[in-house]
Amino acid sequence: MPTPSRWMIKASLIYLFAGFLMGAFILVSKAYPGLSPAWTLLPLHIEVSIFGWIIQLTMGTAYWILPRYLESGSRGNPLKAKIMVALLNTGILVNSASYLDIVPSSATLVGRSLEVGAVILFIALHWNRAVSYNT
Amino acid sequence: MPRLARLFIKTGLIYFLAALILALASEVNGIQFPGLVPLFWHLLMVGWITQIIFGVSMWMFPGRNREEGFRAQKWGWLTFIMLNAGLLLRAVAEPLNYLSQNPAWNVLIALSAITQAGAALTYIIEIWPRIQSKEQQRRQRKKKRQQARKNTGRGK
């Protein structure tokens, strides 16, 4: 498994646990209203569970498992892949900090832009790897 | 495909259908009950997507234990049991908690939250050591072979 995939999959597991813990806290607060401040975690729960867990795991696994280039046997530029990992995770962390009021709410614009950058790099890295060997 | 992966995938497919039937019923017949929207999203994202990810990764990631059974794959089985027990408890207890103020529903909701978080933890325990580079896999295989040889030697 290549390094960027291992980074992404391990990060996604951390986000999975964080997302499920937040979800558990929110769910318990439905039964015990004294814990209702847990609801402030809802946007963070969604960000971490969707972008941090599901999307990141999918991207990391795709980088590992899609066909490599026939001539070089590589998965494309590894630096681009590492930048993709950095952009996605910085984006998630910036958005998370914004939802926790650590940074202004407008910071989500920066966070989402970083995530868009990661997706553009993801597409650039994988477009030519989605091929048929029959052609 | 190992038994556990098949179970994860087939259970995931049932949740997929259940989630969409729930969404359809609420649209067509105007069936509404408290907690329907979060229940729909969690059946879809946890019951279907997360469950299929768990099943496929336990099957496809390197370093799988090929021996079947609870003892050989205890973290995987615990993940399956806790994730599904937690989801089912939620599906029952959350709507009922809105309808009647029985403290039993509160306990079941708390239990549902704990078991689902527990499932995430047991999944991580199972899969984390299997996220390896080719070199790490080679070293692990070599270590296992040496260990097996040692055990055979002791047996003689």
Side-chain angles (χ1 to χ4, degrees), chain A residues 1 6 9-10 13-14 16-17 20-21 24 27-28 30-32 45 50 53-54 57 61 64-65 68, chain B residues 38 45 50 53-54 61-62 90 94 97 106 109 112-113 116-117 120 123-124 127-128 131-133 136:
Chain A
M1 203 183 281
R6 278 183 284 134
I9 294 169
K10 284 189 172 175
L13 293 179
I14 294 166
L16 162 74
F17 191 56
F20 268 52
L21 267 188
L27 185 57
V28 171
K30 291 182 181 182
Y32 301 98
H45 167 62
I50 304 282
W53 158 233
I54 293 172
L57 182 110
T61 305
W64 164 44
I65 227 158
R68 283 179 277 180
Chain B
M45 302 309 290
T50 297
I53 289 174
F54 281 7
F61 276 30
R90 180 192 185 140
E94 193 184 355
N97 186 52
N106 294 346
I109 285 176
S112 157
Q116 287 181 78
Y123 171 71
I124 293 167
I127 219 77
W128 190 279
I131 303 165
Q132 296 175 334
S133 66
Q136 286 169 322

Side-chain angles (χ1 to χ4, degrees), chain A residues 64-101:
Chain A
W64 164 44
I65 227 158
L66 282 180
R68 283 179 277 180
Y69 290 107
L70 279 174
E71 303 81 30
S72 62
S74 77
R75 293 179 171 90
N77 186 343
L79 181 65
K80 265 189 201 166
K82 285 174 184 169
I83 294 171
M84 169 185 77
V85 180
L87 287 179
L88 181 71
N89 284 285
T90 312
I92 295 167
L93 292 176
V94 168
N95 287 341
S96 302
S98 164
Y99 297 141
L100 289 171
D101 288 331

Side-chain angles (χ1 to χ4, degrees), chain B residues 142-156:
Chain B
K142 197 174 160 189
K143 212 170 152 186
K144 270 186 186 167
R145 270 199 302 271
Q146 282 172 343
Q147 191 65 44
R149 240 177 271 147
K150 222 185 218 176
N151 290 344
T152 321
R154 268 195 212 130
K156 284 177 185 171

Side-chain angles (χ1 to χ4, degrees), chain A residues 50-63:
Chain A
I50 304 282
F51 286 88
W53 158 233
I54 293 172
I55 292 178
Q56 177 144 237
L57 182 110
T58 315
M59 289 166 78
T61 305
Y63 182 75

